[in-house]
């Protein structure tokens, strides 16, 4: 089975109600196509409104994080069941900003991915090395450890997605070279069980100008896009490159 390309937008802590015109613009751009899946992960406050707009136009919606439990006394948190109930199909877990800002380690990321799977969501499990790791030549050790610690044993290879996001390339305008991306994606594919079936996205300053060469790489099955996903025009241009 060929792996369906996935272009995912992570809006992070951006977006008010007036952002909803994004979906009409994206639909009008012709980015929706049978050959690719397009996902937007808005802030939780916009989930209900974006689900309606996205389903009308054939896009998918995801959360940016979830709790490990389905319900409970966890003020401010959102469970995977709640995301599913709101109409989400995916949830990002282990994004480097959550690992850095909230001290999330691999075992917590794994528990979140498990919770997502239980709720019927597909987790997008993020991994990636820091600039210090890369300069020291230990990027494969770091990413290999994150993969081993963050991916639940019970998930089918088509039941989760990996996003390789070198931390130094996120929001910096610096993109990894195509050689480095190809090498790391091949390493990741060979490191996980039934890797040929697992979709592996690249993330880190993907924009319309570099999307085509990145998405053409053999082991790159799509992109996780931050900044350039906030404007329908740039996100559509990236999607059309897949
Ligand atoms: C991200 O937040 O996952 C990301 C890749 O951001 P950016 O595209 O802005 O680098």
């Amino acid at each position: 089975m060929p792996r369906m390309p996935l272009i995912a937008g992570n809006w992070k802590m951006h977006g008010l109600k007036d952002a909803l015109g994004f979906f009409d613009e994206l639909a009008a751009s012709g980015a929706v196509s049978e050959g690719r899946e397009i996902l937007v992960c808005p802030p939780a406050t916009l989930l209900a409104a974006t689900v309606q707009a996205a389903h009308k136009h054939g896009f998918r919606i995801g959360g940016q994080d979830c709790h490990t439990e389905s319900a409970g006394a966890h003020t401010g948190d959102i469970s995977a069941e709640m995301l599913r109930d709101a109409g989400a199909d995916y949830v990002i877990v282990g994004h480097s900003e959550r690992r850095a800002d909230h001290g999330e380690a691999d075992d917590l990321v794994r528990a979140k991915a498990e919770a997502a799977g239980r709720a019927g969501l597909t987790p997008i499990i993020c991994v990636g090395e820091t600039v210090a790791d890369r300069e020291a030549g230990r990027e494969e050790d770091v990413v290999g450890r994150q993969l081993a610690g963050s991916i639940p044993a019970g998930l089918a290879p088509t039941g989760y997605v990996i996003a390789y996001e070198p931390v130094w390339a996120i929001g910096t305008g610096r993109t990894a070279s195509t050689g480095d991306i190809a090498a790391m994606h091949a390493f990741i594919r060979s490191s996980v069980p039934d890797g040929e079936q697992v979709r592996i996205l690249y993330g880190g300053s993907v924009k319309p100008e570099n999307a085509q060469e990145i998405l053409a790489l053999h082991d790159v099955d799509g992109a996780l896009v931050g900044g350039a996903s906030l404007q329908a025009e740039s996100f559509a241009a990236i999607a059309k490159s897949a």
Side-chain angles (χ1 to χ4, degrees):
M1 275 283 281
R3 299 181 298 267
M4 170 80 88
L6 173 63
I7 304 297
N10 173 15
W11 284 9
K12 311 191 185 192
M13 201 170 71
H14 296 286
L16 303 175
K17 276 184 296 204
D18 63 6
L20 294 177
F22 174 97
F23 292 95
D24 292 326
E25 268 185 69
L26 193 57
S29 74
V32 181
S33 135
E34 294 213 335
R36 63 176 88 100
E37 221 178 341
I38 300 183
L39 165 71
V40 177
C41 300
T45 47
L46 288 184
L47 268 174
T50 46
V51 158
Q52 286 174 20
H55 287 180
K56 181 171 130 204
H57 294 303
F59 308 121
R60 292 184 188 272
I61 290 298
Q64 297 179 9
D65 179 49
C66 67
H67 198 272
T68 58
E69 293 176 25
S70 53
H74 304 290
T75 302
D77 280 317
I78 296 179
S79 71
E81 278 75 5
M82 290 168 171
L83 293 172
R84 187 76 186 129
D85 186 53
D89 291 307
Y90 288 85
V91 61
I92 299 169
V93 294
H95 190 282
S96 62
E97 287 155 12
R98 298 229 33 114
R99 289 180 186 262
D101 297 355
H102 300 271
E104 295 192 1
D106 292 334
D107 53 351
L108 179 61
V109 175
R110 187 177 64 242
K112 290 183 174 198
E114 268 163 5
R118 275 197 310 273
L121 296 175
T122 302
I124 299 176
I125 302 170
C126 301
V127 296
E129 80 284 0
T130 63
V131 73
D133 295 327
R134 179 151 290 265
E135 282 170 358
R138 53 174 184 252
E139 63 274 9
E140 288 193 354
D141 292 347
V142 169
V143 170
R145 234 183 354 260
Q146 289 174 333
L147 293 170
S150 305
I151 300 174
L155 281 185
T158 52
Y160 70 98
V161 174
I162 296 171
Y164 167 58
E165 300 204 302
V167 176
W168 48 272
I170 296 180
T172 59
R174 279 181 72 190
T175 317
S177 70
T178 49
D180 288 343
I181 297 171
M184 184 57 88
H185 278 235
F187 168 74
I188 292 172
R189 199 171 297 294
S190 67
S191 302
V192 297
D194 299 313
E196 277 307 311
Q197 296 176 56
V198 177
R199 288 188 293 176
I200 307 173
L201 314 183
Y202 170 76
S205 298
V206 176
K207 37 192 186 266
E209 298 77 41
N210 60 21
Q212 202 154 16
E213 61 171 359
I214 293 171
L215 293 168
L217 296 170
H218 175 68
D219 283 313
V220 174
D221 304 313
L224 182 53
V225 185
S229 73
L230 294 173
Q231 304 298 330
E233 194 183 347
S234 48
F235 190 52
I238 293 169
K240 285 190 202 168
S241 306

